[in-house]
Amino acid sequence: MASSETAAAVQRDSEEHATLRRVAVSSFLGNFIEWFDYASYSYFATVIALVLMPPGDPTVALLETFGVFALSFLMRPVGAFFWGHMGDKKGRKWALATSILMMSAATFVIGLLPTFEAVGILAPILLLCLRMVQSFSASGEYAGAATFLAEYAPSNHRGLYCSLVPASTATGLLIGSALATFMFMTWGHDSSFVTEWGWRIPFLLAGPLGLITHYIRTRVSDSPVYQEMQEKLEAKGESDDKPIKLLLTKHLRPLLVSFGACMLNAVGFYAVLTYLPNYLQDTVGYDAGSSSLITTICLVAYIAFIFLSGRISDKVGRKKMLIIACVGFIIFTVPAFYLLNSQNFAIILIVELVMCLLLTINDGTLSSYLSETFPTEVRYSGFALSFNFANAIFGGSASFISIALIEATGNAIAPAWYMVAISVVAFIAMCMTHDNSKKKLTEIQ
């Protein structure tokens, strides 16, 4: 009898671990696709400007390219409301399985777009429309993947498991950076291969990857935490049919504080990992190949740092980690931008590595922090709204604002002061928050 109970327990543990692996893999792949696309868009921005934007001044074309990138983020809040509502009402599994199909399909079609030379102004219009579909569908991806992982993960390892989501983000950027570096160093920025087909490859890859991720997500059950909530509601004869209303009426304060905390992540992530390569090339005049190589090295280090950050946050708590990141950016950002103008490979590499370390202290902690801030009935909604509103307002516009600030002021260091200001706001928000890292998710009210 005892041996059969032991065997049953072993089998149960094995099934739970297998389920957790599937959740982890699908969360990784879904977020990877999203950020591989964003990386490709940023790193191939000069090529996209040449191919899809009206001919003329290269700076104007680049601004238009990043303008499309920024405008598409207007769909983030819309998507956050939709996917947050559906993720809390119909389940995390349904929202994630549906959103990945929309996101990967839109990304795939971008790889098939005709050039400006072929269809004129229709080319950038189609690009904008597809980017908006991407942003709408992707707005539930990061929040949903982190929420799903958090609700499956062991309580004492929640930070480590949730750090898988930003790690997949960095991996997407890494592969995008490596691919761009390889193409630019092999054929050059304006070669016929890169301008005709090379830039399209990363977008076309989203098609098969999206189908694989969708299949995996349909093979797992909704999280035990979510199912437990649903069972309790059914026992009471109630339903969670208005999660957004509940969030805005009963959990507005943590929502606003979380928005403030997400501001640094939004600006810091895009500034450090997607804007700086363009800053080095277009503003500093640094070699494009060396700039891409530095970005690739930093992304490898970022992935290692991110897991370490998540693990440490399990020990010391999320609030301390997020405050450390804020203080670090306030102190180091302006000196970092001055050092980037040195044109010295070693100095630039060290500066970007330090920036990446500060960013991972934030990134490796934020996803678990947001998952622990809201109760189960509004967790997806709270995460999605705070994260996506911050990214819509501050993240997608980071590159555009940085370029515009330099153009308006004539000061190459202007983006650094913008980042310092955002860090101060995030610091104030984090001082107002509570740390729930030691609690079970079912205990959070």
Side-chain angles (χ1 to χ4, degrees):
M1 184 73 172
S3 63
S4 63
E5 289 179 355
T6 301
V10 170
Q11 182 178 357
R12 191 163 53 250
D13 288 344
S14 177
E15 290 174 355
E16 289 176 357
H17 279 100
T19 301
L20 183 56
R21 282 196 299 271
R22 285 195 293 270
V23 171
V25 169
S26 66
S27 297
F28 183 94
L29 281 176
N31 209 49
F32 169 84
I33 294 169
E34 176 186 353
W35 295 101
F36 179 54
D37 157 59
Y38 288 155
S40 301
Y41 192 95
S42 294
Y43 298 139
F44 286 100
T46 53
V47 180
I48 293 173
L50 177 67
V51 174
L52 298 180
M53 297 298 165
D57 187 337
T59 301
V60 173
L62 187 62
L63 278 170
E64 290 171 343
T65 303
F66 280 120
V68 168
F69 187 80
L71 282 172
S72 67
F73 272 70
L74 295 175
M75 293 302 294
R76 286 274 181 158
V78 179
F81 275 107
F82 178 80
W83 298 113
H85 173 79
M86 299 306 290
D88 283 327
K89 181 181 179 180
K90 295 195 67 172
R92 289 57 163 129
K93 173 184 173 179
W94 182 92
L96 287 169
T98 306
S99 65
I100 191 64
L101 286 180
M102 292 181 62
M103 183 175 69
S104 56
T107 305
F108 180 81
V109 176
I110 286 179
L112 302 175
L113 281 178
T115 65
F116 185 90
E117 184 180 1
V119 297
I121 196 65
L122 187 61
I125 291 174
L126 288 173
L127 176 64
L128 177 60
C129 291
L130 289 168
R131 288 289 306 161
M132 285 187 165
V133 173
Q134 278 181 317
S135 284
F136 172 79
S137 53
S139 58
E141 183 60 42
Y142 193 101
T147 298
F148 209 32
L149 264 175
E151 292 180 344
Y152 262 105
S155 298
N156 59 332
H157 295 304
R158 194 181 300 133
L160 178 61
Y161 273 97
C162 284
S163 67
L164 186 67
V165 177
S168 65
T169 297
T171 304
L173 291 174
L174 173 61
I175 301 300
S177 171
L179 182 59
T181 301
F182 173 75
M183 286 191 187
F184 293 153
M185 294 184 73
T186 305
W187 292 285
H189 276 73
D190 54 358
S191 67
S192 59
F193 171 76
V194 172
T195 56
E196 290 177 11
W197 283 106
W199 72 271
R200 300 177 185 273
I201 293 172
F203 298 100
L204 296 174
L205 288 173
L209 287 174
L211 291 175
I212 293 170
T213 306
H214 174 76
Y215 174 79
I216 297 173
R217 286 177 173 174
T218 59
R219 309 293 290 181
V220 296
S221 302
D222 243 316
S223 72
V225 175
Y226 181 79
Q227 291 186 63
E228 181 181 334
M229 180 200 75
Q230 291 293 93
E231 289 170 2
K232 289 180 178 179
L233 288 174
E234 289 176 8
K236 295 177 182 178
E238 301 174 357
S239 64
D240 185 23
D241 58 349
K242 296 179 180 179
I244 299 293
K245 181 180 178 180
L246 179 63
L247 175 69
L248 296 178
T249 54
K250 293 190 176 182
H251 305 281
L252 184 59
R253 185 182 184 278
L255 180 66
L256 293 175
V257 170
S258 296
F259 171 79
C262 290
M263 286 171 58
L264 177 57
N265 175 266
V267 175
F269 183 87
Y270 287 99
V272 173
L273 296 180
T274 64
Y275 169 67
L276 281 187
N278 287 292
Y279 173 81
L280 287 171
Q281 295 171 43
D282 300 328
T283 303
V284 178
Y286 193 60
D287 175 67
S290 298
S291 174
S292 295
L293 178 59
I294 288 173
T295 301
T296 302
I297 294 171
C298 288
L299 284 168
V300 173
Y302 178 97
I303 294 170
F305 289 155
I306 207 83
F307 288 115
L308 179 62
S309 177
R311 188 72 187 94
I312 293 174
S313 76
D314 282 326
K315 300 292 185 182
V316 305
R318 322 301 179 205
K319 182 174 180 176
K320 290 179 182 177
M321 296 288 284
L322 291 170
I323 287 177
I324 289 171
C326 293
V327 173
F329 275 113
I330 291 169
I331 294 172
F332 187 70
T333 302
V334 173
F337 268 71
Y338 276 110
L339 290 170
L340 289 174
N341 284 273
S342 66
Q343 296 276 352
N344 183 289
F345 182 90
I347 292 176
I348 293 173
L349 176 59
I350 292 170
V351 168
E352 290 206 30
L353 282 173
V354 173
M355 295 285 279
C356 276
L357 176 59
L358 291 173
L359 185 60
T360 55
I361 294 173
N362 177 280
D363 285 7
T365 309
L366 186 69
S367 56
S368 50
Y369 162 76
L370 291 174
S371 298
E372 295 163 350
T373 299
F374 304 98
T376 305
E377 59 266 27
V378 295
R379 182 166 295 125
Y380 203 137
S381 302
F383 195 138
L385 262 65
S386 57
F387 185 80
N388 285 289
F389 266 84
N391 275 274
I393 298 171
F394 298 101
S397 63
S399 295
F400 183 84
I401 288 175
S402 297
I403 295 172
L405 282 172
I406 294 172
E407 289 286 317
T409 64
N411 183 0
I413 309 299
W417 291 109
Y418 174 63
M419 194 165 175
V420 168
I422 294 294
S423 301
V424 170
V425 175
F427 174 78
I428 295 170
M430 288 316 305
C431 289
M432 298 170 61
T433 195
H434 299 288
D435 195 324
N436 295 324
S437 56
K438 303 303 180 183
K439 291 183 179 181
K440 293 182 179 180
L441 295 182
T442 52
E443 298 173 349
I444 298 170
Q445 300 298 324

